[in-house]
């Protein structure tokens, strides 16, 4: 009886404590909601602020610039670090950048905003980013820094990757230290910078090497010598990209007590859902490249686990989250905090590689490419030898035949070279498409919960995540036609007619091949009587 009363007392106390904690939690949430309502909105926070962006001419950089200019109209100047290249100065490069498709709605609705873009000559891979003293003085009022620049090549020499991705990050931090009005610095990392951990939390992981020593080694020794001991030095990571991006995170961690920093880790970033326009993209990375290869009829096999999730994030989702994270860091979080965001959203709508390939086949008749070379097809396999055989039979041999035909017609052959690049890319990605990672993203989704009501329409991103996948990839293929292949919508009827001819040709060729194979086996090898004799012999042995 005593034990019963004690247990009931404990239960009562627990219930009272639970209720009390629930009340306190609700009061805390209400207080936080009231506190947030007193904060500036995101456009108000960015109003009058000068921004410095590295990697502004890249995929995410362009989308970031466009969104800030469009959604935060009172923002100050946006300084973009650009390298002079191909006999073009930074002023000419900036002029060409403004004409790109990503700024289409800006040129239409708010063309004056583009005047806020200012080119800064420099290079992240060199000391002090190669920025002149004059430009440094011009940027003295910068209060937000986005470090987006990085070499994403998997096959970069170790020396080049360290100087670009690691030392470059250090140089950006040193520049940020000089800014008296600095409010936030965001470092864009990658979800895969700790690839030997398969449950990735939003935290800093143990270093693979000392970043200061790594930079010193890269500055001291030549490329060939570094490449000799690179596998051992990088702890046998899959490539120099993941290794140097992990070093960059260590640098940011060491600067967290000096700078108001953020680490933002996107997964594979691909076509937009809606902004700046549905399906916008400017590269063939990730599932989009797979869709294009299948749509053109040149990709017939993919070396991957067909049941693995293709972890991708639409670019406008990533950009909205980046801007929200900067606002939160600049208005609510203490100086010595290091917020980390895993921008991976595949947990909300998991699509396997097999799903992506099948979607490509299903959508190809609706949005075929003008230069389709064969009817779409192919499959995903994780059997290495089987994939290699398919590459030889379905990629290499047809490429040789098509290239011969192109050469005889006076055109430049290119299919075999293209197939070689596809094969090399698939091999480089093998580690990532054969393994599985889980990305914890509690911090990421908390960004939506902290937004004010007036910011939801422009900066909320979770509703975009749950978009219809089929419609999303449909717009991704159409966007690829428009912005990557530069094909016109009015040419779609002709493309569909060509596509139907290719499907018919594919059926005819398959019928001929299968018929020839059947004839060879049945007539020439007389295989049916042989099978009958073998079957009878086995049956007789079984009966005896």
């Amino acid at each position: 009886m005593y034990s019963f009363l004690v247990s009931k007392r404990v239960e009562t106390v627990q219930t009272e404590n639970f209720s009390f904690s629930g009340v306190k939690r609700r009061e805390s949430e209400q207080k936080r909601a009231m506190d947030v309502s007193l904060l500036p909105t995101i456009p108000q926070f960015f109003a009058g602020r000068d921004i410095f962006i590295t990697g502004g001419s890249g995929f995410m950089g362009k989308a970031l610039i466009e969104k800030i200019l469009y959604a935060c109209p009172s923002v100050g100047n946006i300084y973009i670090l650009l390298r002079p290249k191909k006999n073009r100065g930074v002023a000419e490069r900036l002029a060409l950048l403004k004409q790109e498709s990503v700024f289409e709605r800006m040129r239409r609705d708010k063309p004056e905003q583009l005047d806020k873009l200012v080119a800064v000559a420099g290079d992240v891979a060199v000391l002090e980013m190669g920025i002149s003293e004059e430009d440094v003085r011009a940027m003295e009022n910068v209060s937000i820094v986005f470090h987006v620049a990085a070499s994403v090549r998997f096959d970069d020499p170790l020396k080049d990757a360290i100087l670009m991705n690691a030392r470059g990050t250090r140089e950006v931090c040193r520049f940020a230290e000089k800014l008296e009005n600095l409010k936030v610095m965001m470092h864009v990392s990658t979800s895969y910078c700790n690839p030997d951990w398969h449950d990735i939390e939003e935290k800093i992981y143990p270093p693979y090497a000392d970043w200061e020593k790594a930079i010193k080694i890269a500055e001291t020794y030549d490329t060939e010598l570094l490449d000799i001991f690179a596998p051992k030095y990088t702890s046998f990571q899959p490539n120099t990209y993941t290794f140097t991006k992990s070093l960059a995170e260590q640098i940011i961690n060491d600067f967290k007590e000096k700078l108001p920093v953020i680490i933002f880790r996107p997964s594979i970033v691909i076509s937009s859902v809606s902004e700046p326009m549905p399906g916008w993209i400017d590269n063939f990375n990730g599932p989009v490249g797979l869709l294009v290869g299948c749509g053109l009829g040149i990709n017939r096999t993919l070396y991957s686990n067909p049941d693995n999730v293709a972890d991708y994030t639409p670019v406008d989702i990533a950009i909205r989250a980046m801007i929200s994270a900067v606002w939160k860091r600049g208005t609510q979080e203490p100086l010595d905090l290091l917020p980390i965001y895993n921008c991976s959203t595949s947990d909300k709508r998991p699509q396997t590689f097999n799903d992506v390939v099948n979607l490509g086949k299903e959508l190809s008749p609706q949005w075929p490419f003008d230069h389709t070379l064969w009817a779409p097809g192919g499959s995903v396999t994780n059997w290495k030898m089987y994939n290699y055989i398919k590459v030889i039979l379905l990629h290499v041999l047809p490429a040789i035949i098509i290239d011969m035909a192109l050469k005889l017609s006076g055109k430049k052959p290119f299919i075999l070279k293209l197939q070689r690049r596809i094969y090399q890319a698939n091999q480089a990605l093998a580690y990532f498409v054969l393994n599985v990672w889980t990305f914890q993203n509690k911090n990421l989704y908390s960004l939506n919960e902290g937004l004010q009501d007036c910011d939801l329409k422009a900066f909320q991103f979770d509703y975009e995540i749950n978009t219809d996948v089929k419609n999303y990839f449909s717009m991704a293929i159409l966007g690829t036609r428009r912005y990557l292949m530069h094909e016109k919508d009015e040419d779609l009827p002709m493309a569909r007619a060509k596509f139907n001819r290719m499907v018919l040709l594919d059926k005819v060729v398959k019928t001929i091949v299968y018929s020839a194979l059947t004839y060879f086996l049945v007539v020439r090898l007389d295989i049916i009587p042989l099978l009958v004799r073998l079957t009878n012999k086995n049956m007789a042995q079984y009966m005896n």
Side-chain angles (χ1 to χ4, degrees):
M1 181 67 178
Y2 176 76
S3 62
F4 171 76
L5 290 174
V6 169
S7 65
K8 291 297 289 181
R9 173 60 182 160
V10 170
E11 181 179 331
T12 302
V13 171
Q14 288 176 339
T15 303
E16 289 173 353
N17 286 341
F18 176 79
S19 300
F20 178 74
S21 65
V23 170
K24 295 296 288 183
R25 185 168 61 252
R26 284 193 296 273
E27 289 177 352
S28 175
E29 290 173 353
Q30 290 170 357
K31 183 177 183 298
R32 186 167 65 250
M34 287 188 293
D35 290 342
V36 170
S37 68
L38 299 175
L39 296 174
T41 64
I42 292 179
Q44 288 171 348
F45 173 74
F46 277 86
R49 295 190 183 278
D50 287 352
I51 300 174
F52 175 64
I53 298 179
T54 70
S57 61
F59 179 45
M60 291 189 71
K62 287 186 285 192
L64 174 64
I65 292 168
E66 198 277 343
K67 178 64 176 177
I68 292 175
L69 287 176
Y70 197 85
C72 304
S74 298
V75 69
N77 290 328
I78 299 180
Y79 295 91
I80 309 171
L81 189 70
L82 294 172
R83 288 179 299 170
K85 63 179 184 179
K86 295 182 180 179
N87 299 319
R88 287 176 178 159
V90 295
E92 185 179 358
R93 287 197 63 197
L94 180 61
L96 291 173
L97 180 66
K98 293 179 181 180
Q99 296 304 313
E100 291 196 23
S101 58
V102 65
F103 297 112
E104 185 178 305
R105 70 170 180 174
M106 190 68 63
R107 292 192 298 269
R108 182 187 66 237
D109 300 340
K110 305 176 182 181
E112 70 285 351
Q113 288 290 89
L114 293 172
D115 295 334
K116 295 181 179 181
L117 301 182
V118 181
V120 176
D123 186 347
V124 169
V126 303
L127 291 174
E128 297 183 343
M129 295 185 285
I131 302 176
S132 68
E133 286 297 326
E134 182 183 355
D135 283 335
V136 170
R137 287 193 297 271
M139 293 189 289
E140 63 182 5
N141 291 324
V142 165
S143 59
I144 299 174
V145 174
F146 288 95
H147 178 36
V148 188
S151 171
V152 298
R153 290 170 57 99
F154 286 0
D155 57 351
D156 260 351
L158 180 60
K159 180 184 180 76
D160 296 346
I162 290 176
L163 295 180
M164 178 68 181
N165 294 340
R167 193 179 71 175
T169 299
R170 184 196 68 183
E171 296 305 296
V172 174
C173 289
R174 287 180 173 178
F175 168 77
E177 283 186 296
K178 300 175 184 177
L179 300 172
E180 295 182 1
N181 300 315
L182 182 69
K183 200 69 176 174
V184 185
M185 174 185 159
M186 171 174 281
H187 168 70
V188 178
S189 184
T190 171
S191 295
Y192 300 98
C193 62
N194 301 285
D196 51 345
W197 297 77
H198 289 269
D199 186 13
I200 307 296
E201 300 179 45
E202 292 168 305
K203 69 177 186 179
I204 291 290
Y205 283 83
Y208 297 101
D210 184 295
W211 64 266
E212 291 179 297
K213 291 180 180 178
I215 292 173
K216 188 66 176 178
I217 289 171
E219 292 174 334
T220 305
Y221 298 101
D222 59 38
T223 300
E224 292 73 17
L225 181 60
L226 279 179
D227 284 344
I228 291 173
F229 72 89
K232 177 68 175 177
Y233 184 66
T234 61
S235 301
F236 297 95
Q237 285 213 39
N239 52 62
T240 57
Y241 170 67
T242 60
F243 173 70
T244 53
K245 292 299 282 186
S246 70
L247 290 180
E249 286 203 356
Q250 300 301 323
I251 295 170
I252 296 297
N253 188 50
D254 284 356
F255 273 88
K256 69 181 179 183
E257 294 181 359
K258 304 175 185 178
L259 299 170
V261 287
I262 302 171
I263 291 178
F264 191 81
R265 296 173 179 158
S267 60
I268 301 171
V269 182
I270 61 170
S271 310
S272 63
V273 176
S274 60
E275 291 186 303
M277 64 277 290
W280 178 77
I281 193 169
D282 76 345
N283 64 77
F284 290 101
N285 294 342
V288 171
L290 179 59
L291 286 173
V292 173
C294 292
L296 291 173
I298 59 177
N299 194 3
R300 320 298 292 187
T301 182
L302 174 68
Y303 182 44
S304 171
N305 187 332
D307 297 322
N308 279 4
V309 172
D311 203 305
Y312 61 87
T313 300
V315 65
D316 44 347
I317 287 178
I319 297 305
R320 287 181 176 214
M322 287 170 64
I323 295 173
S324 299
V326 166
W327 169 77
K328 183 176 182 181
R329 184 74 177 89
T331 59
Q332 302 170 55
E333 295 171 329
L335 180 64
D336 59 349
L337 184 69
L338 175 54
I340 300 175
Y341 299 94
N342 286 340
C343 187
S344 169
T345 57
S346 60
D347 57 319
K348 296 295 184 181
R349 37 106 190 88
Q351 291 292 118
T352 66
F353 286 103
N354 206 43
D355 293 335
V356 174
V357 170
N358 290 333
L359 263 176
K361 294 177 185 177
E362 182 182 349
L363 296 171
S364 290
Q366 184 180 1
W367 310 115
F369 297 107
D370 293 351
H371 303 290
T372 299
L373 297 172
W374 201 258
S379 59
V380 184
T381 178
N382 57 357
W383 185 16
K384 190 172 185 179
M385 183 54 66
Y386 179 52
N387 178 71
Y388 186 74
I389 293 171
K390 290 180 71 177
V391 166
I392 298 297
L393 296 178
L394 302 179
H395 286 190
V396 176
L397 292 180
I400 293 173
I401 295 171
I402 295 173
D403 275 353
M404 288 177 60
L406 289 172
K407 195 170 183 179
L408 290 173
S409 63
K411 298 179 181 179
K412 184 179 179 180
F414 67 95
I415 303 299
L416 185 60
K417 182 179 179 181
L418 179 61
Q419 289 290 14
R420 186 185 300 114
R421 290 176 61 185
I422 291 174
Y423 179 76
Q424 291 171 343
N426 196 186
Q427 293 304 304
L429 289 168
Y431 180 88
F432 301 96
V433 296
L434 291 171
N435 287 286
V436 179
W437 287 268
T438 301
F439 300 104
Q440 306 298 330
N441 49 18
K442 181 180 178 181
N443 290 349
L444 177 74
Y445 290 123
S446 72
L447 294 173
N448 274 317
E449 298 166 4
L451 291 179
Q452 300 187 50
D453 291 344
C454 55
D455 284 333
L456 290 178
K457 183 177 180 180
F459 299 100
Q460 185 182 20
F461 57 84
D462 57 356
Y463 78 95
E464 299 278 19
I465 295 171
N466 299 316
T467 187
D468 179 76
V469 173
K470 184 176 179 180
N471 181 66
Y472 170 71
F473 276 106
S474 179
M475 296 310 299
I477 294 176
L478 182 58
T480 302
R481 272 185 53 90
R482 291 170 175 168
Y483 309 117
L484 279 181
M485 311 294 283
H486 304 292
E487 297 176 353
K488 299 177 181 178
D489 291 356
E490 52 264 33
D491 293 336
L492 272 169
M494 288 188 294
R496 291 183 181 123
K498 181 180 179 181
F499 178 87
N500 292 332
R501 290 196 299 270
M502 288 296 177
V503 170
L504 179 60
L505 180 61
D506 180 64
K507 292 179 179 178
V508 170
V509 171
K510 285 180 178 177
T511 300
I512 293 172
V513 171
Y514 293 149
S515 299
L517 183 62
T518 303
Y519 172 80
F520 179 77
L521 292 175
V522 175
V523 179
R524 304 296 296 178
L525 293 182
D526 204 18
I527 197 171
I528 292 180
L530 177 62
L531 291 174
V532 170
R533 286 196 298 271
L534 289 174
T535 301
N536 291 337
K537 182 178 179 180
N538 289 334
M539 287 295 294
Q541 290 176 348
Y542 177 76
M543 295 299 293
N544 292 333

